[in-house]
């Protein structure tokens, strides 16, 4: 008869072999390499496999533009062009920021939109109180799918046109260059 130590050793070996050969394959599929992830491959129980993560350093395509000079909003309810970008076919996230100031004491409503001239992708509206030197800021964003190269423009209009109402290229005080009105597009697909 084998000694107790031999019996325990044989039992431990049998359990280890059972775990390795019968249990572990049911928990974790064989194979895989360093850096791979375990991945659910189907909706059924136990459907697991190995996947290598995409480690390629992809590039982000973006296009941006800032307004080069102030634009006077001299006529009421007329759309004035702000910054614009030309975008290739694809899906884009477009974000536009327009800053406006009025150096007169007439209240007005400021309207803004993202457009290609036919399709309007986003819009915003602000009330400008009757206070000289006060301003508004319009933020717009849209996810747009384009079939061909298209120019998208951020536009602005006012309910009370006047040469004292301006779409700003740079802030009137404490500015840091022509970046008060801008448009940025990031390609998603």
């Amino acid at each position: 008869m084998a000694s107790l130590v031999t019996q325990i050793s044989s039992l431990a070996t049998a359990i280890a072999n059972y775990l390795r050969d019968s249990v572990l394959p049911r928990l974790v599929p064989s194979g895989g390499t360093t850096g791979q992830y375990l991945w659910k491959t189907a909706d059924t129980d136990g459907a697991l496999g190995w996947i290598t993560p995409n480690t390629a350093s992809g590039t982000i395509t973006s296009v941006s533009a800032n307004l080069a000079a102030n634009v006077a909003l001299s006529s009421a309810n007329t759309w004035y062009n702000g910054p614009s970008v030309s975008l290739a076919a694809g899906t884009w996230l477009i974000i536009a920021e327009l800053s406006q100031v009025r150096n007169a004491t007439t209240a007005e409503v400021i309207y803004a939109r993202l457009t290609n001239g036919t399709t309007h992708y986003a819009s915003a509206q602000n009330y400008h109180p009757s206070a000289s030197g006060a301003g508004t800021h319009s933020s717009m964003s849209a996810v747009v799918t384009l079939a061909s190269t298209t120019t998208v423009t951020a536009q602005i209009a006012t309910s009370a046109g006047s040469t004292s109402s301006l779409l700003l290229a740079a802030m009137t005080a404490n500015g840091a260059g022509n970046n008060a009105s801008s448009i940025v597009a990031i390609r998603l697909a």
Side-chain angles (χ1 to χ4, degrees), residues 26 34 40 42 44 57 118-119 123 135 138 159 175 180 187 189:
R26 293 182 183 153
T34 301
K40 184 87 168 140
T44 57
S57 58
T118 304
T119 302
S123 59
S138 300
S159 63
R187 188 176 187 132

Side-chain angles (χ1 to χ4, degrees), residues 32-182:
T33 60
T34 301
Q36 285 190 314
Y37 296 104
L38 191 57
W39 191 263
K40 184 87 168 140
T41 59
D43 291 337
T44 57
D45 290 343
L48 301 171
W50 295 100
I51 186 169
T52 302
N54 183 0
T55 58
S57 58
T59 58
I60 295 176
T61 300
S62 66
V63 181
S64 63
N66 294 327
L67 190 64
N70 291 347
V71 176
L73 309 179
S74 53
S75 298
N77 301 311
T78 299
W79 289 101
Y80 292 89
N81 287 339
S84 64
V85 289
S86 178
L87 304 174
T91 301
W92 296 85
L93 169 62
I94 306 170
I95 304 164
E97 307 286 333
L98 299 178
S99 295
Q100 176 270 345
V101 69
R102 186 175 181 101
N103 296 313
T105 56
T106 304
E108 65 184 334
V109 178
I110 298 297
Y111 310 98
R113 69 184 181 188
L114 281 175
T115 183
N116 68 5
T118 304
T119 302
H120 310 302
Y121 304 112
S123 59
Q125 178 177 322
N126 293 293
Y127 176 74
H128 183 270
S130 179
S132 181
T136 65
H137 186 82
S138 300
S139 297
M140 298 167 289
S141 62
V143 174
V144 176
T145 300
L146 305 172
S148 61
T149 299
T150 304
T151 297
V152 177
T153 303
Q155 293 183 323
I156 193 167
T158 174
S159 63
S162 168
T163 55
S164 66
S165 186
L166 301 172
L167 174 60
L168 296 176
M171 299 307 298
T172 56
N174 300 317
N178 286 352
N179 55 19
S181 296
S182 62

